[in-house]
Amino acid sequence: MGKKRKLAQGGARPAKLAKHGPPTSSAKKHTAAPGAKLQQKKNQSSNSGAPLQQQQRHAEPTIPFSPEDKILLVGDGDLSFAASLVEHHYCADVTATVFEKNLEELVEKYPQASDNIAKIESEDGCRVLFGVDATKMGPFTNKSGRGKGTGSENPTAHGIMDRIMFNFPHIGGKSTDVNRQVRYNQELLVSFFQRAIPSLAPGGSIIVTLFEGEPYTLWNIRDLARHSGLQVERSFRFQASAYPGYHHARTLGVVRNPAIGSTKRHENIEERR
């Protein structure tokens, strides 16, 4: 069926790396090295008797992008993740989007957002877009091509994003019923997949970050991906420490003493073509 595009889920075990096409030198640093280092630690641990769980805890984080990637962040909350990509991972082409319609509404929910926007927009190729609904967003594309034989223009849209990331998607407190919450969040993911696919460049990937355990496992993201024409390429643990300055932002805004699960994972998903 040709080359596939990916959706990634972070998990506790290292998995097969996603195929991103010909890697740049910086991309190799993020993709080729972790596997070798994990094997080396395993061999060392067999001599020292250290448990496998401890090896994984101290394994080098998987970073699913390189500084040269065109990155689209969907529903980025207080924008601290985008700010970390720009400031600490030297990403120079980041489009960060938020659901809130303007800066005033965003700052009311996340007072720290203004500082993060300043960090993002300090890089010329990075920007913040307001009022972007993950289930309704238009495609991010370039148009090219000419009509054959007539000389007339016949534009064809091509997706431009190498990585599209949706960290901790959730519809918020729409219902207190668990079954309804599951269904609403499944609908959110399916609509997001459908809207994200046209924005992907060839070989690009969609990355979704979820908490592990129920009710998130009830969403069956792998099945949702397959029904959307995608497949899960790899799963790896999300390590917040790899993104200095990043803080998990609740859908409802700042909450005192939030009770949040500690284990998170990425899903790396690829389009079937």
Side-chain angles (χ1 to χ4, degrees):
M1 298 178 64
K3 191 168 183 179
K4 301 173 181 178
R5 293 182 185 159
K6 312 135 197 167
L7 176 152
Q9 175 184 349
R13 295 182 300 175
K16 185 177 73 171
L17 296 171
K19 298 177 182 177
H20 301 318
T24 62
S25 57
S26 59
K28 288 181 180 178
K29 178 175 65 175
H30 293 304
T31 57
K37 292 184 178 180
L38 284 173
Q39 184 62 42
Q40 183 181 21
K41 289 190 176 185
K42 180 177 180 181
N43 293 337
Q44 292 172 350
S45 133
S46 63
N47 296 326
S48 63
L52 178 60
Q53 185 176 6
Q54 184 176 358
Q55 300 167 25
Q56 294 174 344
R57 187 181 305 122
H58 297 291
E60 182 176 339
T62 298
I63 309 297
F65 52 81
S66 65
E68 295 81 8
D69 287 337
K70 293 181 70 68
I71 301 170
L72 172 63
L73 302 178
V74 179
D76 200 34
D78 67 354
L79 296 166
S80 61
F81 188 80
S84 183
L85 296 192
V86 174
E87 190 172 30
H88 298 283
H89 290 278
Y90 311 109
C91 295
D93 196 333
V94 177
T95 298
T97 71
V98 294
F99 180 75
E100 289 72 25
K101 62 184 179 182
N102 53 42
L103 177 61
E104 182 180 6
E105 183 178 333
L106 182 68
V107 172
E108 184 178 352
K109 290 178 66 175
Y110 311 112
Q112 67 275 27
S114 292
D115 292 339
N116 292 326
I117 291 175
K119 294 175 182 178
I120 296 165
E121 295 184 341
S122 67
E123 179 65 47
D124 290 341
C126 299
R127 58 178 175 166
V128 175
L129 301 180
F130 295 92
V132 177
D133 186 336
T135 68
K136 300 176 181 178
M137 65 181 181
F140 291 79
T141 62
N142 280 334
K143 291 184 177 181
S144 62
R146 301 180 65 88
K148 295 182 179 180
T150 63
S152 61
E153 294 291 337
N154 183 22
T156 302
H158 301 281
I160 59 174
M161 297 297 175
D162 301 302
R163 306 288 174 262
I164 300 178
M165 306 180 72
F166 199 166
N167 288 328
F168 307 105
H170 202 283
I171 50 88
K174 194 171 181 179
S175 173
T176 57
D177 180 80
V178 173
N179 291 329
R180 289 184 179 179
Q181 277 276 4
V182 168
R183 185 172 73 252
Y184 292 149
N185 282 291
Q186 287 178 326
E187 292 171 352
L188 167 64
L189 284 171
V190 169
S191 295
F192 162 65
F193 292 154
Q194 292 172 344
R195 292 290 180 169
I197 289 172
S199 296
L200 282 177
S205 61
I206 299 171
I207 302 165
V208 177
T209 315
L210 299 175
F211 288 106
E212 290 188 327
E214 293 188 359
Y216 307 98
T217 52
L218 299 177
W219 297 2
N220 295 320
I221 187 171
R222 292 170 181 256
D223 289 337
L224 298 180
R226 281 192 290 268
H227 288 305
S228 300
L230 300 161
Q231 69 175 14
V232 175
E233 174 68 14
R234 59 172 173 164
S235 178
F236 54 94
R237 187 176 300 280
F238 173 85
Q239 298 189 42
S241 60
Y243 305 96
Y246 165 71
H247 302 283
H248 180 78
R250 298 278 297 245
T251 304
L252 297 178
V254 176
V255 178
R256 293 182 181 274
N257 300 320
I260 302 175
S262 59
T263 306
K264 313 168 187 76
R265 67 184 183 209
H266 283 307
E267 290 285 355
N268 195 62
I269 298 174
E270 152 178 290
E271 184 185 5
R272 298 178 181 276
R273 294 205 295 179

